[in-house]
Structure formats: C-alpha cells, structure tokens
Amino acid sequence: MKKIPHLLVTLFICIPSVALAAGTIDGGTKQAVNWSAIGMFIGFVSLTLVITYWASKRTVSAADFYSAGGGISAGQNGLAIAGDYMSAASFLGISGLVYTSGYDGLIYSVGWLVGWPVVTFLIAEQLRNLGKFTFADVASFRLGQTRIRILAACGSLVTVAFYLIAQMVGAGKLIQLLFGLDYWIAVILVGGLMMVYVTFGGMKATTWVQIIKAVLLLFGATFMAGAVLYKFGFSPEALFAKATEVHPKKLAIMEPGSLISNPLSAISLGLALMFGTAGLPHILMRFFTVKDAQAARKSVFYATGFIGYFYILTFIIGFGAITLVSTDLAFLDAGILEKTKSGIAAIRGGSNMAAIHLADAVGGNLFLGFISAVAFATILAVVSGLALAGASSISHDIYAMVIKGGHANEQDEVRVSKIATLFLGVLAIILGIIFENQNVAFMVGLAFAIAASCNFPVLVMSIFWKNLTTRGALIGGLLGLISAVVGVILSPAVWEVTLGFAKGSAPIKLDNPALFSMTIAFVSIWLISVLDRSARAGKDRDGFDAQFVRSQTGIGAASATSH
Amino acid sequence: MSTYEKIEQDPNYQELVRRRSSLGWTLSAIMLIVYFGFILLVAYAPHFLGTPMGTGVTTIGIPIGLLVIVSAFLLTGIYVSKANSKYDPLIRKIVGARRQ
C-alpha cells in the first residue's frame, strides 16, 4: 500500500475547511480490492437499474420526467429529501469530524439540520402551490418571466455545478479508497450511472434510487451506533468516558474546540447552512413530486426526523470510532503512529474513513462491504438528484420558458432535458478528473452560500413581499450571487489553502460569506424594488394579491395528474 | 370582481392567512433564536458547554446540542399538526365556497 504523505498533510492543514464543507471527501491511499463491497454494490446497481427500466416505461410526459407526475407520497418524499441531504460527505465527513474533534462535529450537525423547519414554515407549501417543475416557476410567477428565469437558472446551475464537482471529486477519492478502483474509473462509473438513471428514468427513478439508498444508510448507521452502544451497555456516559480516556485531547473533546475560533465566522456559516438549505435547487424540486401542499409539508416533517436521527447516529459513530478504531492497530498506520503517538492522527486513509473502519470493527468484513457499498450508492444518488435539478433548469427554465416563450412542445422539452443531462454528466466527469488533486472542500460551502444569497432571497421575497419588482429581484439576486462567489474566493479556505497565499493574508476572515452576501442581497432587493417606478414594477406589484391567494390556498395550482 | 378578490373577502381565507402567517413566522423566529443562541454559546461561552454534568465526563453541551436537533423536529411537528387540523379544513371551506 502506497502512502501519499503530502495529501495527509494537506488534510490536516485544511481540517476547518473540510468541516465547513463536510461535503467533500479528501482522499488518502488506495485500498486492496474489496470484493464483498463490490458484490453488494453490484447488487445495488442492478436493483436500481431494474427500477430505472420500470420508471422509464412510465415516464411519458414532461410532468413524469420532472416531477414523477406528482405521484410520490409524503413518506416516500420525506425519505427522498433525507436521501438528497444525507450525502456520503455528511455521513463520513461528520463522523470523521467527531472522530478528530469530538463535540465540534455536533455543531455542524445542528447547523445542517436547522434549515428544515424554516423550509416547512415558509417555503414548502407555497412552493407546491405556485410552482410546477422548478423553483424559478415560483420566483417568476408574477415577475418578468425571461429575466427572472435566467437569474434563477444561473443561481441553480452555479449551485449545482459546485455541489456536483465536490461530489464527483469526493466520489473518486472515496471509491479509490473503498474499492481499490482507479480514480478516473470511479469518476466515469459515477457519471455514467447517473446519466442512465436520469435520462431513462427521470424523476421517478431518481427518487426511488434516493429512497432505497436512504433506507440502507439509515439501517447501516443504526446498526453501527447500536453496536457501539451495546459495547458500552447502552450507557453514553461509559462511551464518552472511554473516549476521553483514549483521545489525545482528553476532556476537550466534550466541549467546543478550535474549529469555531471567530464568532462572526460561526454566525456567517450558521446563516449559510440554515438558509442555504432553503435555496438548494435539487431539494426544492422535490416539493413538486408530491400531490399537494399538505403532502409537501408532511414530507419535510418526515425528512427532518430522518435527518435529525441520522445526525445523532453519526455523533455516536464518531465517538464509537474514537474508542474502537483509534485503539486498534489494524486500522492505524504504523509510520504515522510512530511519529505522532496518536491513534487519532494515524487512522488509515484519513479521518473520513473513521465510520468505514468502525463498520469493520463492529461488523466484520461483510458489514464493511455493506457500508462501503452504501457510501458509493449515496454518492450516486446525490449526484443523480443534482444532475436532474441542473437539467430541469436548462430545459424547463431556459429552453421551454425563455427560448420558446412557454410554448415548447412537451416531447422536445423532455428531449432537451435528456440532452442536458448527458451534457452535465460528461461535464461532471471532465471536471471531476481536472479537479482530482485540487482542494474542493470549499465548493459545498460556496454552493450553500450562493443558495442562501441568491436563490433564497429572491424566492422568499417573491412569495411574501408585495413590493418586490423584477428589477429588484434581478439586480439584488445577481449582487448576492457575485458577493457570495467573491467572498468565498477571498476567504481563508480558498485564498490561503487553494490559491496558496500566505497564512493570515485572506482579505475576508469569514469561512463563509453568507453574513454579508445575504445582507447585500436582501438590502439591494429591497432598495431597488422600492425605488423602481417602471411600468413593469406596477405589473409586478399588481400580480401579488392573486399570487398570494394561490400560495395560501392552492387554488389553481398545478394538479398532481396533469397527464 | 375577479376570483381571487372574492376569495380575499372570504372570512375563512382571512382567518387562514392570519393564523398561518402568525404561526409560521413565530416558529421561524423561535428556531432562529434557539439555533443562534446555540451558536453564540459555542462562540462566546465554549467552557459553559464544557461544564460536566454531575460526576461523569458528559458535559452539559451534549444535551443542549441534542435539544437543538430535537427542537427542530418538534417545531416542524407543531406546524404540521396545526396545519393538518386547522388550516386544511379552512382551505376546504374556501374551495367549497368558490364552487357554489
């Protein structure tokens, strides 16, 4: 087994940014080929391909393709939303973060969850009542279609692109580690399967892949956390006592540590996580797959439950790994252990492997294979959801509504969507290979920042604020988008780690720009709308009352069976 | 008078909007306060969260963190149960009145 020492060094330097993103997997070394994992993974792929075939027979209309014909139940959609959100990164990243820093992992779990109630209270039902296939339907409901569609499509595509790159690079690294496959093979495999699911099965297949994976992941994580607690007589205190005894940081792992050093940075990250959730296009499109507003609202409730439960499990898994992995020489790198005398630092493959090694420790090789296969399936499912969101934006918002002015032939629209998926798939593979050795941890943070600073302000203002005008939404949304991107480039994670400028030289000290980029977006949307005296602005304001009635009652909403 | 103007006159509609908006924004505010309260504790009082409970190693920060997670679930649950029991019947009445 070859070691790549500089990679591990990089991993250490950028732990805060890894945590920030918790959406990417930083790699390590290639493992021996793991046959039980490959066997189970082939089982998963075969099952999902059968489902894709079944779904393709039933995907005829555009509504089938984009929103599974509105035929997904609230419980199924709750699992699918949870599946979209429980990426391999949050599973391996957060349990790895708990493994290295203890309590800090919980802080991120909490941040990742608290956006969901806000989605339920303010967005889910309104979105279902006003929209059809994409959140741009809602944002442009009473505003100038063309301009707002283009803005929303930009916001969606940029968010999807950064999220997708982070996932692809993470996938390649992870699969290299878990299955012993080459990086480029792994990336092509993920990209290729994603294209098959989305082009043939559309939303129906993508949703079912997501549901199956969510069930498997919840089952696997429950088993692991249960096995850990079982070893300690179901006493968390006994688990924590053992962990503080063996961890080099001792009792410090039971309180907030160095990850959150700058309070403003913590608040800014908190804003990005909380409101970014409500602006992620691949999450928002899930509300169109259910029958009505009631099902939309229930599905977020279920999803919040699943995700919250899952994050509590990752916390236990992380502590379990401290006690069972960092103390077992089989999982440690002898060379690093010699140098650092720390089982935590010496974990083979880096801290993101904590949950994987723990699976081996509590369930043997077969369960290790199961968890590895689930991790791969997770990436595949998340990538498919992202690709579908991006493709919908291209075909529905840009092609059908902007280019064809809302008069596109349905078959053509679906065809454009499939072509867009293939294009996105190939692009994702190419970018995945280009970014192989880049630090992409900041990209998920960037995706959340853009979602919180462009998509969310435009969406929420268009639903609730009568005086919003097309010009205000357009300029404010663009300023939010630009300030988020600039803010990330000037942040320590990119300026110092990725671009290599001197430590401490980053012009903006925030890990995530949401604090100021969201402010810029909201203030400029407000100011420009208030000052807007154009003829269009009058129309925008006049349209609000009818829109508000529909958002509240659902009267006139796109029905579930529009075919 | 157009359809939506008629609906706006419906007392059931006015009640729906009033109740849903006040609950939705109140619960959002509670979630914000709970979460940013937690973040401020993390940022300014990390050692408070590190206070051990009793004689063990479990710190007060553990139940507090878990409580934030559980509160997200509970607040969502409160909203959904209210919406199912109160708002949906109101919406059905509004839709029914429009059909007559």
Side-chain angles (χ1 to χ4, degrees), chain A residues 58-73:
Chain A
R58 281 160 188 76
T59 298
V60 186
S61 66
D64 292 331
F65 185 82
Y66 291 121
S67 62
I72 304 289
S73 78

Side-chain angles (χ1 to χ4, degrees), chain A residues 8-319:
Chain A
L8 288 169
V9 174
T10 322
L11 193 67
F12 255 77
I13 294 170
C14 62
I15 276 176
S17 52
V18 170
L20 157 84
T24 48
I25 312 294
D26 270 291
T29 46
K30 199 169 143 183
Q31 307 285 82
V33 176
N34 181 339
W35 289 110
S36 69
I38 291 177
M40 271 183 257
F41 180 69
I42 290 172
F44 172 83
V45 169
S46 316
L47 177 65
T48 52
L49 286 177
V50 170
I51 288 171
T52 306
Y53 177 74
W54 164 84
S56 71
K57 293 277 160 213
R58 281 160 188 76
T59 298
V60 186
S61 66
D64 292 331
F65 185 82
Y66 291 121
S67 62
I72 304 289
S73 78
Q76 291 163 351
N77 196 41
L79 273 172
I81 293 173
D84 263 323
Y85 214 59
M86 302 183 298
S87 59
S90 52
F91 177 49
L92 303 178
I94 292 187
S95 53
L97 186 59
V98 174
Y99 179 77
T100 47
S101 313
Y103 193 82
D104 285 340
L106 189 61
I107 302 170
Y108 283 90
S109 301
V110 167
W112 242 261
L113 185 70
V114 291
W116 288 105
V118 177
V119 171
T120 322
F121 307 149
L122 303 179
I123 304 243
E125 294 173 61
Q126 284 81 355
L127 209 61
R128 180 65 191 82
N129 282 339
L130 293 175
K132 203 169 160 207
F133 300 143
T134 64
F135 87 88
D137 290 339
V138 182
S140 66
F141 193 88
R142 66 186 156 108
L143 305 180
Q145 284 283 334
T146 309
R147 283 177 285 171
I148 298 301
R149 291 265 177 197
I150 293 174
L151 170 73
C154 288
S156 296
L157 286 170
V158 177
T159 312
V160 163
F162 284 115
Y163 217 114
L164 200 56
I165 294 173
Q167 294 288 334
M168 288 304 271
V169 174
K173 296 267 165 70
L174 182 71
I175 291 160
Q176 191 176 355
L177 272 166
L178 295 181
F179 296 89
L181 293 174
D182 280 330
Y183 178 88
W184 65 273
I185 297 178
V187 167
I188 290 175
L189 199 59
V190 170
L193 281 168
M194 168 259 269
M195 288 189 267
V196 171
Y197 292 147
V198 178
T199 48
F200 289 107
M203 183 49 118
K204 212 166 255 171
T206 308
T207 303
W208 278 103
V209 169
Q210 205 61 271
I211 292 172
I212 295 170
K213 159 244 147 159
V215 170
L216 292 175
L217 184 58
L218 284 169
F219 168 77
T222 304
F223 178 82
M224 275 163 76
V228 167
L229 287 174
Y230 173 76
K231 295 218 182 223
F232 291 92
F234 290 96
S235 158
E237 169 66 25
L239 169 66
F240 295 144
K242 176 76 180 167
T244 49
E245 187 190 309
V246 300
H247 199 290
K249 292 182 186 164
K250 300 294 174 196
L251 282 170
I253 59 171
M254 300 303 292
E255 66 176 46
S258 55
L259 277 186
I260 312 276
S261 47
N262 172 352
L264 273 186
S265 190
I267 292 167
S268 193
L269 178 67
L271 283 172
L273 294 182
M274 190 165 195
F275 296 108
T277 304
L280 292 176
H282 67 296
I283 301 280
L284 295 176
M285 74 176 177
R286 293 229 161 267
F287 296 117
F288 305 118
T289 65
V290 290
K291 184 166 96 273
D292 53 21
Q294 184 186 40
R297 152 209 323 152
K298 278 191 200 160
S299 57
V300 210
F301 174 58
Y302 296 137
T304 311
F306 290 131
I307 298 167
Y309 171 68
F310 175 73
Y311 282 150
I312 293 173
L313 295 180
T314 55
F315 191 61
I316 299 168
I317 289 170
F319 271 93

Side-chain angles (χ1 to χ4, degrees), chain A residues 37-38 101 170 177 185 187 201 224 252 272 309 322 330 349 372 410 419 460 484 497 505 516-517 520 555 563:
Chain A
I38 291 177
S101 313
L177 272 166
I185 297 178
V187 167
M224 275 163 76
Y309 171 68
I322 295 174
S372 306
E410 203 168 291
I419 296 168
V460 86
V497 178
S505 68
F516 66 87
S517 59
I520 289 174
I555 293 169
H563 55 282

Side-chain angles (χ1 to χ4, degrees), chain A residues 103 107 110-111 113-114 117 120-121 125 237 240-241 254-256 263 270 294 297 301 305 545-546 548-549 552-553 555, chain B residues 4 8 13 20 27-28 31 35 38 44 46-47 50 56-59 61 68-69 72-73 76-77 79 83-84 88 91 98:
Chain A
Y103 193 82
I107 302 170
V110 167
L113 185 70
V114 291
T120 322
F121 307 149
E125 294 173 61
E237 169 66 25
F240 295 144
M254 300 303 292
E255 66 176 46
Q294 184 186 40
R297 152 209 323 152
F301 174 58
D545 288 345
F548 193 71
V549 167
Q552 290 289 329
T553 61
I555 293 169
Chain B
Y4 81 84
E8 278 179 331
Y13 174 76
R20 176 148 60 192
L27 291 177
S28 302
M31 192 70 248
Y35 175 53
F38 176 68
Y44 291 104
H47 297 299
V57 300
T58 309
T59 54
V68 181
I69 291 182
F73 181 65
T76 314
Y79 178 83
N84 289 347
D88 287 343
I91 292 170
R98 187 169 153 264

